[in-house]
Amino acid sequence: MRDKLRKWREDNSRNSEQIVDVGEELINEHSSKLGDDIWIIYEQVMIAALDCSRDDLAHTCLQELRRQFPDSHRVKRLTGMRLEALERKTQQPKNPPAARKRKISILKALGKSAEAIRELNEYLEQFVGDQEAWHELSELYINEHDYGKAAFCLEELMMTNPHNHLYCEQYAEVKYTQGGLENLELSRKYFAQALRLNNRNMRALFGFYMSASHIAASPKVSAKVKKDNMKYAAWAATQINKAYRLAGRGTKENKCSVKAVEEMLESMQITMS
Amino acid sequence: MGEVELSCRAYVKMYLHACLFPRVSINGLLLSSSPAGGAVYVTDCVPLLHSHLSLAPVTQLALTQVDVWCSQTQQRIVGYYQANACASDSSPTPCATRIADKIAEQFENAVLLMLDGSKMSPDYRVPPIVMYERKDSRWILKDKHTIMLRQWEETRDIAGQMLESGDHALLVDFDSHLDDITRDWTNQKLNAKIAELASPANGSI
């Protein structure tokens, strides 16, 4: 059981119900055998307990930790988490980065996106290398429909993580959403880049197909551009059909989706020509 | 505008979708296999997204594919549902009204349904649903009395039972389908399970 908890810690899994089940039993029945491990287990179980609204368990774990580590910043942070779960805003100690990020999460959970965005921007001025923060900011901007700023955040992420196909694909989606011929062409290029980095990324494949199709169907493009994009779209359609046929083999389950995709591709081809 | 009725299957799948992704906004489409005219009877739903609801490509793709599937199966898209990440906020976002507008272009009596997270406690007595209808190009709150859920208590119990037994993990939304295209966004397996649980009660759910 200890090993399970350790694995979940290392994997950073958020399977809180399981952690609570295993952890509670371990704490109640076997605490004497855990030695120093017990403290990190208290922490892990406490966080999972909050996730499952098990405040009784969270409180117990926190008490033990506070007794053992009375002045610890880390324990103070856990206290903050619990208060957040009980819907009370906490008093911030001096602002180490983790505490600032917690404050931003609280703002986000309270629906105060504008404030969360402002705090996150301030945070990033100091901690410009924090990938998680940049991604969080891009998500906030997307929710607020501020696609230009979302694109900027994703550009930062692509620069520092050029091999990450997900950032390319998300950037392409943002550009596609912004619309207009220039953005569509950019989106097609970034969907293509995402595919080069991971040729199994279905979102990128569909995105590539749709952006190429839209460009080909636009009355504003030259005959050459139209022809090129129809070629791209045709290639993508073949890949999509291949992927779905492969997926459909042996399982009756997704026959519906296979048929739907086939028909969709056919009908889109008709509108293009 | 007339009555709107929700089938057990549609409600349970929406509920399970919201429970499967409790920390983010989710959305989906409402379908009907009944003939047009008169009351709108929502017989099924297709869960769509649990990330980046306001980005266009996947939404467009999903709408097109569901449309195609509907014409293959004699159904039509009659509405849209959404549950916001912030449980206390059940008002439609710009993204919700935009998609609902698009649906209304094809189906005049389109319905926009928001799940009310604050009412989704284990012993809720009324459906945690807020419905909007389109009047003069705006979406306004619909009079509660014209929303029907036949055999509400049985439906609620089925939803609760499936959540308890972890069946919500079987639900596949379009997002999950794109992560693994062998998974079926029409959720035939889940539909069968719901039908099984519903059958002792009354055939016409």
Side-chain angles (χ1 to χ4, degrees):
Chain A
M1 284 202 283
R2 257 212 257 196
D3 295 328
K4 271 198 207 161
L5 286 180
R6 188 184 325 126
K7 178 169 194 303
W8 289 329
R9 272 201 308 277
E10 285 165 10
D11 289 344
N12 225 343
S13 317
R14 200 172 171 178
N15 51 335
S16 309
E17 280 165 9
Q18 289 176 293
I19 294 175
V20 163
D21 275 339
V22 174
E24 192 171 16
E25 194 182 322
L26 213 56
I27 292 172
N28 289 339
E29 327 244 324
H30 308 283
S31 57
S32 51
K33 305 193 198 125
L34 293 172
D36 271 336
D37 268 359
I38 195 164
W39 308 114
I40 201 159
I41 288 176
Y42 273 130
E43 184 186 31
Q44 184 183 14
V45 172
M46 191 221 125
I47 294 175
L50 287 182
D51 232 7
C52 302
S53 301
R54 284 287 312 275
D55 189 55
D56 55 328
L57 182 57
H59 185 62
T60 313
C61 296
L62 194 51
Q63 273 195 314
E64 294 297 319
L65 286 167
R66 276 212 283 244
R67 211 174 296 156
Q68 184 71 6
F69 306 104
D71 285 314
S72 153
H73 245 328
R74 191 161 157 178
V75 173
K76 287 209 177 91
R77 188 154 68 91
L78 291 176
T79 312
M81 279 177 91
R82 180 168 164 260
L83 290 177
E84 174 194 337
L86 297 174
E87 279 187 303
R88 275 180 274 150
K89 219 158 163 207
T90 74
Q91 270 197 340
Q92 296 299 316
K94 316 251 167 72
N95 287 332
R100 285 175 80 171
K101 285 167 97 164
R102 278 239 62 77
K103 181 170 176 204
I104 293 166
S105 310
I106 293 174
L107 288 170
K108 195 175 157 202
L110 292 172
K112 301 191 167 158
S113 331
E115 277 182 62
I117 287 176
R118 197 187 29 200
E119 293 271 346
L120 200 39
N121 269 300
E122 277 176 29
Y123 171 86
L124 280 167
E125 274 171 32
Q126 264 194 288
F127 299 97
V128 83
D130 188 336
Q131 312 286 300
E132 186 191 53
W134 278 112
H135 197 241
E136 187 62 44
L137 189 54
S138 78
E139 301 265 332
L140 284 170
Y141 278 132
I142 289 174
N143 282 338
E144 296 298 304
H145 305 278
D146 198 338
Y147 301 120
K149 299 214 177 89
F152 177 79
C153 298
L154 288 163
E155 280 160 10
E156 280 289 327
L157 287 166
M158 287 195 294
M159 260 202 316
T160 45
N161 303 274
H163 298 294
N164 186 320
H165 65 106
L166 292 174
Y167 294 149
C168 280
E169 179 241 296
Q170 281 179 23
Y171 181 74
E173 286 196 47
V174 170
K175 285 289 149 196
Y176 184 106
T177 309
Q178 284 181 295
L181 200 50
E182 219 177 280
N183 283 325
L184 271 181
E185 296 205 307
L186 259 178
S187 91
R188 192 204 64 222
K189 292 193 177 129
Y190 279 91
F191 279 130
Q193 180 62 8
L195 279 173
R196 258 181 236 121
L197 293 169
N198 178 354
N199 62 3
R200 301 241 214 102
N201 185 329
M202 282 313 286
R203 283 189 185 82
L205 187 51
F206 272 117
F208 181 75
Y209 172 74
M210 293 194 314
S211 45
S213 308
H214 281 304
I215 297 171
S218 162
K220 302 189 201 150
V221 298
S222 67
K224 172 158 193 332
V225 171
K226 186 181 169 92
K227 196 160 152 226
D228 285 342
N229 280 282
M230 284 183 72
K231 258 201 318 206
Y232 299 144
W235 172 84
T238 324
Q239 299 304 308
I240 293 171
N241 267 319
K242 233 182 6 181
Y244 271 84
R245 242 172 277 135
L246 221 82
R249 268 201 301 205
T251 57
K252 267 170 66 190
E253 221 181 66
N254 60 344
K255 266 211 328 231
C256 306
S257 21
V258 175
K259 270 175 53 190
V261 166
E262 277 178 4
E263 222 188 273
M264 176 194 89
L265 291 172
E266 261 182 51
S267 70
M268 279 187 86
Q269 210 151 29
I270 296 172
T271 49
M272 269 202 309
S273 46
Chain B
M1 199 207 177
E3 291 178 345
V4 175
E5 193 179 328
L6 271 190
S7 74
C8 175
R9 177 196 281 190
Y11 176 79
V12 172
K13 287 200 317 202
M14 277 196 301
Y15 179 82
L16 294 180
H17 191 202
C19 293
L20 184 57
F21 301 106
R23 303 174 188 108
V24 291
S25 298
I26 51 125
N27 66 5
L29 298 173
L30 302 171
L31 310 181
S32 175
S33 54
S34 293
V40 175
Y41 187 25
V42 178
T43 48
D44 200 353
C45 71
V46 174
L48 289 188
L49 307 178
H50 56 267
S51 65
H52 302 151
L53 269 63
S54 63
L55 289 184
V58 180
T59 303
Q60 274 183 16
L61 178 67
L63 275 167
T64 316
Q65 280 208 33
V66 175
D67 216 15
V68 168
W69 181 60
C70 280
S71 55
Q72 291 170 343
T73 51
Q74 284 84 47
Q75 295 182 87
R76 53 155 53 80
I77 300 177
V78 297
Y80 170 87
Y81 74 84
Q82 183 170 307
N84 291 330
C86 186
S88 54
D89 174 20
S90 66
S91 50
T93 57
C95 153
T97 51
R98 210 172 328 146
I99 300 179
D101 279 341
K102 258 209 116 50
I103 296 173
E105 279 171 23
Q106 304 291 327
F107 181 71
E108 207 182 300
N109 292 335
V111 146
L112 166 53
L113 199 159
M114 297 295 297
L115 268 80
D116 188 344
S118 63
K119 301 214 172 75
M120 277 173 77
S121 56
D123 53 356
Y124 55 106
R125 280 198 258 127
V126 289
I129 287 173
V130 183
M131 228 180 245
Y132 290 78
E133 58 180 344
R134 204 152 190 269
K135 268 206 172 102
D136 306 321
S137 326
R138 280 169 57 234
W139 291 91
I140 58 176
L141 215 50
K142 189 174 169 60
D143 180 7
K144 283 210 164 84
H145 299 295
T146 53
I147 304 163
M148 283 214 303
L149 262 137
R150 251 184 250 171
Q151 284 145 336
W152 159 240
E153 268 148 23
E154 279 89 347
T155 300
R156 180 196 62 193
D157 292 341
I158 290 174
Q161 210 179 322
M162 294 186 83
L163 182 59
E164 275 283 313
S165 48
D167 285 335
H168 54 306
L170 293 173
L171 186 131
V172 180
D173 66 3
F174 207 80
D175 246 343
S176 313
H177 167 77
L178 288 178
D179 288 333
D180 174 1
I181 56 174
T182 60
R183 303 187 72 197
D184 167 34
W185 52 261
T186 67
N187 287 291
Q188 301 299 323
K189 269 204 183 145
L190 207 63
N191 289 347
K193 272 215 157 170
I194 296 172
E196 215 180 279
L197 289 171
S199 55
N202 184 317
S204 62
I205 283 186

